[in-house]
Amino acid sequence: MPGGVLRGACTAALVTAVMSPSAFAAPADPGPSANSAGKPPPAAPAPPRSVAPLLTELQKLYQQAEEATEAYNGTAAELKKRTAEAKRLGVSLTAARTALSAGRDAAGQLAREQYRGRSDFSAYARLLLAPDPEHLMDQEHLLRRAAAWRAATVKRLTAAEKRADALAAESRKVLDRQRALTAQRRKQRDTVRTRLRAVEAKLATLSAAQLAELARLEQQSTAKAQGALVASGALSSVRPPSAAGGAAVRYAIDQLGKPYVWGAEGPDSFDCSGLTSQAWTKAGRVIPRTSQEQWRQLRRVPLNALRPGDLVVYFPKATHVALYIGNGLVVQAPRPGTRVKVSPVASNPLLGAVRPDPGGTPLADYHTPRLPETATAGSDAGYGSSSAPGE
């Protein structure tokens, strides 16, 4: 999980506790003891829960919420494709129906000509009675051309009818899929909101001391994981990015400080895979929208071969992703309630890394963009219900 869970909440809670007037008030007169009234003393408060299990529980809730996030994003991306497909089919269907109408007009003209005695049989009969053989041959040539036109007219009409029927059936299928995806997205949105409420409910039960201890434990865990990764030599190699990778890094760094918002792809806010997909789109390469599809479709690279622009994927189900910028750091949109920031590459449980442009030529001269002083600022803490997706 990202370092510093609930750091901001801890600070606020501690400040509130210290600045509260009751913290400086003289102790109140306890009055007569309960024993003097013949009543048993009140039960001692329950000992505080151990913080380590709380951290594990919160991490599980965070991961469930993030998994729901990417499921929602995947459905939204597919719905977007189906909507575009429905629009394309609508244009094609209109064109097919126009062609069909023209074909029917031509067929109607052919029927009227036959009705007026200009059928193949009557034309042949006239030719057989013609006294001039050369004239007969000329007329026969014209007749063959007319017959070919009639055959082509019927063929075009038949093809137009088939195409219009096929497009209409495909359009109905796409619209049905749109409706199903809309219902699925609504259900996934409700699941996300449920996950967020579970996190909020858990946070509400924690004291300021527990929040502070959670922050300390998570920072310690991240530092330990990053230290182990560095000690393994996985981050010792220095590799320059490709031109596209360098552009993706610059774009991601330019987004620092922008808020995490469900399903957002910029320009004012992002979720984790919205940031990585947009960074590479701006670099000239379209990649899948969700972290799971980025992990599934893009070329995987070992951690000891990371170069700036690569995507680092986290958790067993590939539910989180960040963009590597070099020096053991990533840019990420951590989770609702946070802002785009720079974090250690081991700030979450690592799954692996992928490269959107495996054939890209490394730059001969590359310098990592300068990071603002606030690049690592801000807490990774807290889902808020206001960050849940809308309709």
Side-chain angles (χ1 to χ4, degrees), residues 9 49 140 147 266 331 391:
R49 294 177 61 186
E140 186 178 5
V331 172
E391 289 297 334

Side-chain angles (χ1 to χ4, degrees), residues 125-386:
R126 286 196 299 271
L127 288 172
L128 288 173
L129 298 175
D132 186 351
E134 291 184 2
H135 180 69
L136 173 64
M137 295 300 294
D138 290 340
Q139 291 298 317
E140 186 178 5
H141 173 69
L142 293 176
L143 183 60
R144 284 198 299 270
R145 291 182 60 185
W149 174 82
R150 284 190 287 270
T153 298
V154 173
K155 185 176 181 180
R156 283 196 303 270
L157 177 61
T158 302
E161 287 176 338
K162 288 181 178 179
R163 176 162 174 74
D165 289 345
L167 285 171
E170 189 176 355
S171 181
R172 286 192 297 271
K173 186 185 299 184
V174 169
L175 289 174
D176 288 343
R177 181 60 179 155
Q178 274 186 292
R179 283 191 287 269
L181 286 170
T182 300
Q184 182 177 338
R185 186 177 63 166
R186 188 176 297 114
K187 183 177 180 181
Q188 289 170 334
R189 178 207 60 198
D190 293 341
T191 298
V192 170
R193 289 176 173 172
T194 299
R195 301 292 191 218
L196 298 184
R197 284 194 293 268
V199 172
E200 290 177 324
K202 179 57 60 181
L203 298 180
T205 67
L206 304 182
S207 67
Q210 287 173 317
L211 292 175
E213 180 63 9
L214 281 173
R216 187 191 69 79
L217 284 178
E218 193 164 39
Q219 287 176 336
Q220 185 182 67
S221 175
T222 297
K224 183 178 180 181
Q226 185 78 1
L229 192 62
V230 171
S232 71
L235 303 177
S236 59
S237 299
V238 179
R239 289 179 171 81
S242 63
V249 168
R250 289 191 296 274
Y251 178 86
I253 290 175
D254 285 344
Q255 312 317 306
L256 291 172
K258 293 184 178 180
Y260 181 115
V261 172
W262 262 92
E265 300 175 79
D268 300 320
S269 56
F270 297 89
D271 63 15
C272 69
S273 55
L275 175 64
T276 55
S277 61
Q278 280 302 301
W280 272 96
T281 296
K282 295 299 182 181
R285 187 178 183 89
V286 176
I287 65 173
R289 168 63 175 87
T290 67
S291 57
Q292 291 100 332
E293 288 303 302
Q294 290 169 8
W295 174 248
R296 188 175 71 85
Q297 295 187 34
L298 301 180
R299 177 77 63 83
R300 297 182 187 180
V301 293
L303 292 175
N304 61 7
L306 277 175
R307 71 184 188 190
D310 290 346
L311 306 183
V312 182
V313 184
Y314 300 93
F315 299 108
K317 294 184 180 181
T319 51
H320 187 68
V321 63
L323 191 140
Y324 188 65
I325 61 172
N327 300 322
L329 301 173
V330 294
V331 172
Q332 64 168 336
R335 56 196 182 212
T338 67
R339 294 181 178 273
V340 177
K341 61 176 295 187
V342 172
S343 302
V345 71
S347 57
N348 290 290
L350 287 159
L351 177 61
V354 293
R355 180 166 295 162
D357 65 334
T361 302
L363 294 171
D365 185 22
Y366 175 76
H367 300 284
T368 303
R370 183 182 298 275
L371 297 176
E373 292 182 2
T374 57
T376 60
S379 172
D380 291 338
Y383 283 95
S385 57
S386 61

